[in-house]
Amino acid sequence: MPLLTLADAKAQLNLKTDRDDTELQVYIDAVTPVIEEYIGPVDPREVSEQHDTGTGRRLVVLRTMPVLSLTSVEPVLTGGSSYPVDALVLDAATGSVRRRDGGWFHGLLEVTVQAGRASVTPTINLAARMLVQHLWRTQRPSRSGGLAGGGDDYSVSEPIVGFGYAVPNRVLELLAPYRLPPGVA
């Protein structure tokens, strides 16, 4: 399930025709990396990371979260140890991988995972809808000549020039329960 469909965005914006579909799709595509910056991958995808375990480590802690499944753990250099996936345990909540037998990992490893979410929660979908709406409205003049939607989306508390911010606080607040832990990129 994608983060946001064209139908979702059109419903949020109350658009009834397909006149703006091509332009609107650009906005939909643009919000995905912004949302994922805060909460990690949404749409499932394969991700590979290199981890240097040196002379030995019991855990490999993934940098990409959330993780749906572990695909492979292979040596980068010739002659290194390969680790069969069925001999490993993935803790999806922490992003850690350990050997089932309690042994150590050795050397430079290429870890491949299926990252993302099994489904998009209504809260994450709403945050994406609201972000598209916010960005869409900055490009549409209101009938009175100013920007559409009133000042609260565009004004800031300090007297600085500009439209304010690209990601409204209300979107960040919706994403807060899904925020990546510190140190995870």
Side-chain angles (χ1 to χ4, degrees):
M1 173 183 236
L3 172 62
L4 187 65
T5 65
L6 182 61
D8 291 339
K10 287 175 78 168
Q12 182 71 20
L13 298 170
N14 295 317
L15 297 176
K16 307 293 185 213
T17 70
D18 59 358
R19 184 183 73 211
D20 295 312
D21 285 5
T22 302
E23 183 182 5
L24 183 55
Q25 188 63 52
V26 172
Y27 283 75
I28 293 166
D29 295 342
V31 300
T32 298
V34 174
I35 298 286
E36 289 182 343
E37 176 71 23
Y38 289 95
I39 66 170
V42 176
D43 296 330
R45 69 185 70 119
E46 187 172 275
V47 174
S48 292
E49 302 176 353
Q50 287 192 357
H51 292 268
D52 189 354
T53 61
T55 57
R57 288 203 184 133
R58 287 198 184 272
L59 284 178
V60 171
V61 180
L62 302 171
R63 291 182 294 275
T64 303
M65 288 182 54
V67 176
L68 294 167
S69 63
L70 185 62
T71 306
S72 67
V73 178
E74 299 291 331
V76 172
L77 304 173
T78 307
S81 296
S82 184
Y83 301 93
V85 173
D86 60 351
L88 303 173
V89 177
L90 167 67
D91 182 341
T94 64
S96 64
V97 179
R98 66 176 175 80
R99 289 179 48 176
R100 197 175 297 280
D101 65 5
W104 295 61
F105 293 102
H106 298 280
L108 183 59
L109 303 174
E110 181 89 13
V111 180
T112 304
V113 299
Q114 187 71 13
R117 298 171 187 275
S119 63
V120 177
T121 68
T123 305
I124 293 171
N125 179 266
L126 178 59
R129 287 174 183 241
M130 291 174 72
L131 183 53
V132 164
Q133 181 178 25
H134 172 76
L135 296 172
W136 186 258
R137 288 170 61 191
T138 64
Q139 301 301 313
R140 303 290 183 259
S142 72
R143 289 187 180 102
S144 62
L147 286 173
D152 71 298
D153 275 352
Y154 312 102
S155 61
V156 292
S157 57
E158 283 105 45
I160 60 174
V161 178
F163 291 125
Y165 44 87
V167 182
N169 285 332
R170 63 181 148 258
V171 171
L172 297 177
E173 289 170 7
L174 287 169
L175 297 174
Y178 308 96
R179 180 95 173 147
L180 292 171
V184 176

